[in-house]
Amino acid sequence: MILNDRVILVTGASSGLGRHAARALATAGATTVLLGRNEYRLDGVYDEIVSAGHPQPVILPFDLAQADDSRFEALAVTLTQALGRLDGILHSASQFIKLSKLSQQRLNHWEKAFTTNLFAPFALTRACLPLLEAAPDGAVLFTAEQHGLSPDVYWGGFGLSQASLIALARLFAQEHRDDSDLRFNVLIPGPVASPMRHRTHPGEVPECLPNISSLMPHYQYWLGPDSRGRSGEIIQIESDYDPSRKA
């Protein structure tokens, strides 16, 4: 299997894209570190992976929105002590702001979105850099929303936090461009039937959207050996979804 002997940390692993991706990475042979706020839901993902006969994962209850540098650094120490290595990070946790005009958004909404969508991915990646740099083939994959490419009206703080996340990934890639063993990329899933998509596009019919499982080969590829040497890329998943189609 393509991810055998790799340890991959997945944020937002308790639900949505993160949950599906954690299972897909485990299916491909990875030992997954399941990070999320809800320990009960993480237990459910753990049981699904173990019952399927995949490598035993590690549960890591952790609130990204409440952490500071010392907690992120302690997390990296925990990974070192428990597993001795880290080969990849999948950033899939996200905090949405309800679509509205800028005049209707408040600073506390922006603080929550930027903390989860930008500050935490930066701080977690920075704290884990020594482990990632020591890996023979390290990969960091940031999951972003398509409005991060061009923030639009009503997307406000959420769109800007996603644009900043994409810029962050590019900066990491540029600073490590001479390190062929470590890469940083961004995956933009596009329309799929996920909890986040339901929040951003509540009027859509889920049955008309591509299944979330269609994304999993992309996660396996960008966190696996076949993408080695490719860094600083923004991967937009193409879709034949037609919003006018009825269920």
Side-chain angles (χ1 to χ4, degrees):
M1 291 184 283
I2 62 172
L3 298 179
N4 275 352
D5 302 321
R6 295 187 184 227
V7 174
I8 299 177
L9 170 63
V10 181
T11 72
S14 62
S15 63
L17 280 173
R19 185 183 190 115
H20 282 78
R23 294 190 310 213
L25 297 172
T27 299
T31 296
T32 51
V33 180
L34 310 174
L35 186 149
R37 291 178 299 173
N38 191 314
E39 188 170 0
Y40 175 78
R41 289 182 179 177
L42 292 177
D43 285 338
V45 185
Y46 177 97
D47 290 341
E48 290 169 355
I49 292 173
V50 171
S51 64
H54 304 315
Q56 184 176 3
V58 174
I59 291 179
L60 194 57
F62 194 91
D63 189 346
L64 294 170
Q66 300 298 321
D68 56 16
D69 277 334
S70 62
R71 290 194 63 198
F72 282 112
E73 289 160 6
L75 183 153
V77 171
T78 297
L79 291 174
T80 302
Q81 294 174 342
L83 297 165
R85 64 185 295 170
L86 181 65
D87 302 280
I89 300 177
L90 170 58
H91 292 286
S92 57
S94 184
Q95 175 69 45
F96 181 59
I97 298 177
K98 184 178 179 180
L99 301 184
S100 59
K101 292 182 177 181
L102 290 173
S103 60
Q104 298 172 330
Q105 296 189 6
R106 296 291 182 265
L107 182 59
N108 67 311
H109 299 150
W110 281 47
E111 288 174 339
K112 290 178 181 178
F114 273 82
T115 296
T116 301
N117 301 344
L118 177 65
F119 302 156
F122 156 70
L124 177 58
T125 303
R126 183 200 62 78
C128 292
L129 269 179
L131 281 166
L132 293 165
E133 290 171 338
D137 180 26
V140 180
L141 186 62
F142 300 86
T143 305
E145 209 277 338
Q146 59 189 2
H147 286 85
L149 294 172
S150 180
D152 205 351
V153 292
Y154 301 114
W155 287 81
F158 181 73
L160 290 173
S161 71
Q162 295 293 299
S164 298
L165 179 67
I166 293 171
L168 172 70
R170 284 174 166 156
L171 282 175
F172 268 123
Q174 290 168 4
E175 291 187 358
H176 291 265
R177 59 183 175 273
D178 295 328
D179 186 353
S180 61
D181 295 330
L182 180 58
R183 57 196 178 278
F184 301 84
N185 294 294
V186 178
L187 189 144
I188 300 177
V192 291
S194 68
M196 176 57 74
R197 183 74 183 185
H198 178 68
R199 288 193 289 271
T200 59
H201 297 74
E204 290 180 335
V205 179
E207 289 77 13
C208 294
L209 289 163
N211 193 283
I212 199 169
S213 62
S214 65
L215 297 174
M216 297 306 110
H218 299 285
Y219 284 108
Q220 292 170 337
Y221 172 82
W222 288 101
L223 288 161
D226 292 341
S227 62
R228 185 169 188 164
R230 301 182 64 178
S231 189
E233 298 192 33
I234 312 300
I235 307 105
Q236 298 183 67
I237 306 303
E238 299 294 332
S239 171
D240 60 358
Y241 169 62
D242 180 1
S244 66
R245 188 174 61 204
K246 304 299 182 181

